[in-house]
Amino acid sequence: MSTPTERLDLLEAAATGTEAEPAILAALEDGASVVRERAIRLAARYIEPAVLAELVADGENAIRRNAGLAALERQGPYAVPHLTTMLGSPDPELVMFALQSLSRIGDAAAGPAILPLLYRRDPNVAQAAIEAAGQLRIQATVPDLIRLLAGDLWLQLAAIAALGEIGDTRAVGPLMSLVPDSVVAEPAVQAVRRIAAPESLEPLLALLPKVRERALRDPLLLALGVVIELHPDPAPAAMRVCGELGDAAAELSAYLRQLITAPADSQDAGETESLFRAATTLVAAAGIEELEPLLLARLAVDEGAGWIEGLFRHFPDGIGSRLEQLVEQADPDVRCGALRAGAFGEDDLSRVIVQLSDPHEHVRAAACHALGYIGLDAVAPLLIERLRRGEPLEQAAAAQALTHLSVAALGELEGCLTPDTDESVASHALDVLSRCPVPSLEARVVRLTESRSPTVRGAALRAAALIPGAAIDVILLRALADRHAPIQRQALELLVRRGGEKSVATMVVLLGTADSLRFHVIRALGHCRAPSAAEPLRSLYPRCGPHEQLQIVWSLIRIAPTWITAFLRERLAEPSLEMRRAAAQGLSEVAGVDQLPVLIPLAADSDWNIRNEAARALGRLGTPETRVVLLTLVRDVESVVAATARASLELLPRQVARIPA
C-alpha cells in the first residue's frame, strides 16, 4: 500500500494533467488528512463550483461533503454566484451549507438572496440566514432583525448577535429594552458594546448601579468603557448620573475598587485587564473622587499604565478641582501620579515647584513633567538645574520638559554644552536641541560633534543636522568615516533627512568604495530618492555581490527612474529567486497598464510570492483584463495569494468586480 507522501506526489503530478479532476476528487476522500488538505486546495483551484456543489449535496458521504464545502469556501468570490444559486434549493441542509459558506467568504453580494430566508419556516435555515446577515453586515436586514427580537429564543439570540455585528444605531433602543429583565440580557449588552453608539451612554450608566449580579454587571461595565471612549463628550453625563446615585454610590464604588485593585489572574488576565481599563475609564470620566488616588498611584509605579495619564488629561474636570490636595498626599506615588496627570496652569506653579524638593526621585521627575506642561519660560533655570544635578529619572524628565519652552529660554542650556560637561548632562541637553534648535548655541553644538565621547558625538550630530548650511553637510559627511559604526549609520540617516545635492553627490562618490559602508550608502541614496543616483547605481549593479545588488534594486524602486520597469523585467530573468521576488514586488508598485503583458504571466508563476505580487499589481491597475486573472488567483492553492487576490478584487470598480452567475 502506498504511503501518504507517495499519494501526494501522484496527486501533484495529476493535478495539471488531463485526468486532474477525477484524481483530485478521489483524493478528497483519502484516509490521510495531509492528502485531503492538499486535494481541497487543488480542488479550489481546478474544480468548478458546480462540481463541488454536487459533493456538498451528497448527504451520504460526510467526508466528500465537508471537502466540497471547504473547497468552495477557498474559492471565495469565484464561488459566490453559485452559492447564491444554492440558496434557492428545496434542500434545507444545502441552503444552510450555502449560507455558512457565504458568511465565511464574507461577500455581501448575496444580501438580496438572504433577506427572504430570515422568515423561513425551518428554524435552522432562518437562524443560519440571520447569522449570515450579521456576519456579512447587511444593513437592509436591520428592521427585520429588530422584529425578530420578539421571536423564538434561538432566533432572538441570533438576531441580537447579528445586530451587534452590523453595528446599526437603530438597534440600540430595542436591545436596551431587553436589559436587565430577560434571559437574553447579557448577549444584548454585548451587542450594545459592539455598536458603541453615543445614545447608549446614559441607559448604561443608569443600569450599572442597579445590577448586582457580576454575570451581567461586568458586561455592562465593559460596554460603558467602550462607549465612553468613543463618545464625543461623555464626561457631563457621567458626572451627572454618578453624582445622583445617592445610597447606591458606595456600593458602585466598592465594585469599581475591587476591579482596580484586583491582582492579575494568569488564567484570565485578558478579562481582568479589560475590566480594569473599563473601571478606570469610568472613574476618570465621572470624577469618582475616592478612587482617583488608587489610579494615580498605579500610574506612578506601573510602567505599562501610561495610558492612565492620557485618560485623566482627556477628562481634566474630574481631578482638576482636587489637584491641590492630591499633590500634598502622604503617599508619594499619589503625588507622583497627580503631577503627571494633572492639567496644571500658571496659578499652580508654586505648588509644583515645591515638589522639586520632594525626597522621592520619581516625584521630583513628575514635577519636572508638570513644569513642562505649564510651559512658562521662567521655569527654565529650575529645569536646567534638575538636568545638571538631578538623578537619571529627573534628567530625562527635565530634558523632555525643556522642549515645551521657547527658544529664548533654551539659551540657558549653554552651560551644559562645555567640553568638560558630564556626558549624561551634555547628551540630554543636545537631545533637547535636536528637537528645538537654538541659533545662539549652534557653535557649541558643532564643537561637540568632535567630542571624544561617542554618546555626546552622536547626540551632537543629531542636533547639528537641524542647522542649515553646507558646513553641516561637511560635518555629517566626515562622520561617515567615524570609528564607531553606529555613528556612521546615523550620519547617513541624517544626510538622507537633510537631502541636498551636495550630500547626494558625495554619497555617489562613495559608491566607488568597496567597504561595508557602501551598502548603507546604496540604501541612503534610495531613501533620498535622488534621481542623479539612478545611473550610477545601475552601472554599479554588475560589479556588486548579491546582497548589494538586492539593495540597489530596492533603492532604484524608490527613485523610480523612467527606465525602472525595463530594469526590473531584466531582473525577472535572473536565476536568483530572491531577486525575482524583489523585481516582482517592484513591478507591482510601479508598473503601468502597458506592463500587463509582463504582469499577467507572473500570476501563473511557480513561486507563490511572485503570484502574490502579481495579484497586488493587478488590483492596483484595475482593468477588465485584471478581473479575469484575479478570479483565478482567488482560487490559488496558497492562502496568502488567494487573500491578496480577494482584496484586489474589492478594489476594482463595482462594474468591473461583478462576478457573473
Side-chain angles (χ1 to χ4, degrees), residues 335-358:
R335 297 200 300 275
C336 175
L339 287 164
R340 285 184 55 183
F344 294 97
E346 293 184 27
D347 295 341
D348 303 301
L349 187 60
S350 59
R351 68 173 59 99
V352 174
I353 289 175
V354 167
Q355 303 303 320
L356 291 174
S357 302
D358 193 277

Side-chain angles (χ1 to χ4, degrees), residues 47 77 238 269 427 480 593 615 641:
I47 307 296
S427 61
L480 294 174
V593 175
V641 180

